Amino acid sequence: GAVVSQHPSRVICKSGTSVKIECRSLDFQATTMFWYRQFPKQSLMLMATSNEGSKATYEQGVEKDKFLINHASLTLSTLTVTSAHPEDSSFYICSARTPGQGDNQPQHFGDGTRLSIL
Amino acid sequence: GNSVTQMEGPVTLSEEAFLTINCTYTATGYPSLFWYVQYPGEGLQLLLKATKADDKGSNKGFEATYRKETTSFHLEKGSVQVSDSAVYFCALKGSARQLTFGSGTQLTVLP
């Protein structure tokens, strides 16, 4: 149980293109999803916390107009990288928190999306 | 703020060797501590966790003990296998209830 599906797994596109990444919780409803970015040989950095039905909370230094997050349903959050440039190339990972009391529920991670901007 | 310092890799071991990956943390209060594993081309999977001092998390032969006095949560396995080759991340969840990750340690186990 608690499977998170992320799509696409890999995308290569030209500079200036907008790219949408989907994160779905397949067998549970996730009121909270998280988006991370992983640089080569570095750790995961939390970009934003996405709450169903409300605006995402972005971490300091993350451009919210650049990285649009939508969490329109309890099973789907999307991250759109707008007008992507080569410096946006990275590995993006989402996670979803299983429902329950408080914030101590475990997070389940998607398999990540490798974004390459040419 | 919270931070996690993890042993730098890469680490290369022969099959059946003993593994230790060091992890220390800085946090206020009493964080929960985690080890996640990332196999090639995949996302993160929770390997084990400990929620209070002196707790020992264990899974698949891996162990880590929450040591508050040394602010450490070192990962150990007595006999590694080729299938253990992956990137291992130490992480903590503090009072803000957000995960903070270490930089990851690449482990390669040779047959």
Side-chain angles (χ1 to χ4, degrees), chain B residues 13-108:
Chain B
L13 296 173
S14 297
E15 205 164 25
E16 299 184 0
F18 184 85
L19 168 72
T20 300
I21 301 178
N22 291 337
C23 172
T24 57
Y25 67 90
T26 301
T28 55
Y30 303 95
S32 296
L33 302 174
F34 306 82
W35 276 100
Y36 283 85
V37 57
Q38 185 180 27
Y39 296 103
E42 299 182 15
L44 273 69
Q45 301 175 28
L46 179 63
L47 180 60
L48 54 84
K49 69 176 182 180
T51 57
K52 62 183 187 295
D54 299 325
D55 267 3
K56 177 186 282 188
S58 61
N59 185 25
K60 299 181 181 179
F62 291 89
E63 293 183 341
T65 301
Y66 189 142
R67 301 286 188 200
K68 189 164 178 62
E69 63 276 14
T70 54
T71 61
S72 65
F73 193 55
H74 305 322
L75 182 69
E76 296 182 339
K77 185 173 185 179
S79 176
V80 294
Q81 305 300 312
V82 173
S83 57
D84 293 327
S85 298
V87 181
Y88 292 82
F89 291 91
C90 185
L92 70 81
K93 184 183 289 188
S95 55
R97 315 319 300 170
Q98 293 175 348
L99 284 169
T100 299
F101 289 88
S103 57
T105 301
Q106 172 77 55
L107 170 66
T108 301

Side-chain angles (χ1 to χ4, degrees), chain A residues 54-112:
Chain A
S54 64
K55 290 184 179 180
T57 303
Y58 289 81
E59 296 300 301
Q60 190 172 11
V62 179
E63 299 176 60
K64 58 184 178 183
D65 295 331
K66 174 75 171 176
F67 299 99
L68 300 178
I69 291 173
N70 184 283
H71 194 160
S73 78
L74 287 171
T75 59
L76 174 65
S77 176
T78 60
L79 168 67
T80 301
V81 184
T82 61
S83 187
H85 289 91
E87 59 266 27
D88 299 323
S89 299
S90 195
F91 193 60
Y92 294 87
I93 303 178
C94 73
S95 73
R97 187 160 61 200
T98 49
Q101 292 282 344
D103 297 330
N104 218 9
Q105 298 304 110
Q107 291 183 34
H108 303 277
F109 288 80
D111 283 348

